[in-house]
């Protein structure tokens, strides 16, 4: 298993990644093929920045200071695969629309929400969702609502504390402990908390290893 994970790590993270599709509605989803890893979180939690840091490409996922800019499911895969049945990428990363942005028109927010919920409930190739939580703010009410949805959909998810460099190390450890306690009641939550900083490149190797492990389950 260790060798298999090492080989997969090379296939997933040792080559360039490309953007293949933005999905504004379920009918535009690519055919189910490679295992998918999705990233969820409140607007401006740092999803795009984390994806770029994980694959080592600053311009892959679009980042913005404007909350709510990601309005589609954005698909990324390692480059160099034809997409044919015998030449599928080993994985796809999915940047999901941010939630919790109240200033967008309600109809737009409802459309994003429906897209995300339908995707979570209906995608058999989805291996794990990484739910990103800003270390400076901790778990908010709408984060907990997403946890409940993932529990209901029986989708495995893991909490990632982003911007971990913005708080003191002892505060981070306290936050990790508090977060573990809060997710204990959620059956689909993976019982280990990751902490990352895209800006300082902290926790990235640990998260890459977690992704590779999730892909082999």
């Amino acid at each position: 298993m260790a060798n298999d994970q090492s080989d997969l790590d090379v296939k997933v993270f040792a080559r360039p990644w490309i953007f293949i599709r933005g999905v504004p509605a379920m009918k535009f989803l690519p055919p189910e093929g490679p295992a998918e890893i999705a990233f969820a979180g409140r607007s401006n939690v740092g999803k795009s920045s984390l994806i770029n840091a994980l694959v080592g490409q600053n311009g892959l996922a679009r980042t913005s200071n404007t909350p709510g800019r990601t309005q589609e499911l954005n698909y990324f895969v390692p480059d160099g695969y034809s997409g044919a049945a015998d030449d599928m990428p080993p994985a796809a990363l999915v940047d999901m629309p941010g939630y919790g942005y109240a200033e967008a028109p309600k109809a737009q927010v409802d459309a994003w929400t429906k897209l995300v919920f339908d995707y979570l409930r209906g995608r058999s190739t989805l291996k794990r969702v990484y739910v990103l939580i800003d270390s400076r703010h901790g778990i908010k009410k709408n984060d907990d609502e997403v946890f409940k949805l993932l529990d209901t959909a029986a989708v495995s998810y893991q909490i990632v504390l982003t911007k971990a460099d913005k708080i003191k190390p002892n505060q981070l450890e306290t936050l990790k402990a508090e977060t573990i306690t809060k997710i204990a009641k959620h059956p689909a939550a993976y019982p280990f908390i990751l902490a990352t900083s895209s800006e300082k490149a902290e926790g990235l190797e640990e998260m890459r290893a977690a992704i590779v492990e999730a892909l082999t389950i």
Side-chain angles (χ1 to χ4, degrees), residues 178-198:
E178 291 173 348
T179 304
I180 282 287
T181 299
K182 288 179 180 178
I183 66 170
K185 62 182 179 181
H186 294 286
Y190 191 77
F192 183 79
I193 306 300
L194 293 165
T196 63
S197 166
S198 302

Side-chain angles (χ1 to χ4, degrees), residues 1 41 106 144 157 203:
M1 179 64 74
K106 184 178 186 303
D144 203 54
Y157 61 98

Side-chain angles (χ1 to χ4, degrees), residues 42-121:
R42 290 169 55 85
S43 296
N44 261 13
V45 75
K47 288 188 287 86
S48 298
S49 295
L50 181 57
I51 290 171
N52 289 340
L54 287 169
V55 302
Q57 292 173 235
N58 288 336
L60 183 66
R62 293 193 312 168
T63 60
S64 173
N65 291 325
T66 304
R69 182 169 177 178
T70 301
Q71 300 176 18
E72 304 175 332
L73 299 171
N74 288 324
Y75 270 75
F76 307 94
V77 296
D79 199 6
Y81 297 91
S82 69
D86 60 348
D87 193 30
M88 281 284 182
L93 301 183
V94 184
D95 186 6
M96 297 168 62
Y99 55 84
Y101 179 48
E103 294 181 24
K106 184 178 186 303
Q108 194 175 40
V109 172
D110 289 346
W112 302 348
T113 303
K114 184 178 187 306
L115 172 64
V116 168
F117 288 4
D118 287 348
Y119 168 71
L120 293 175
R121 291 190 181 105

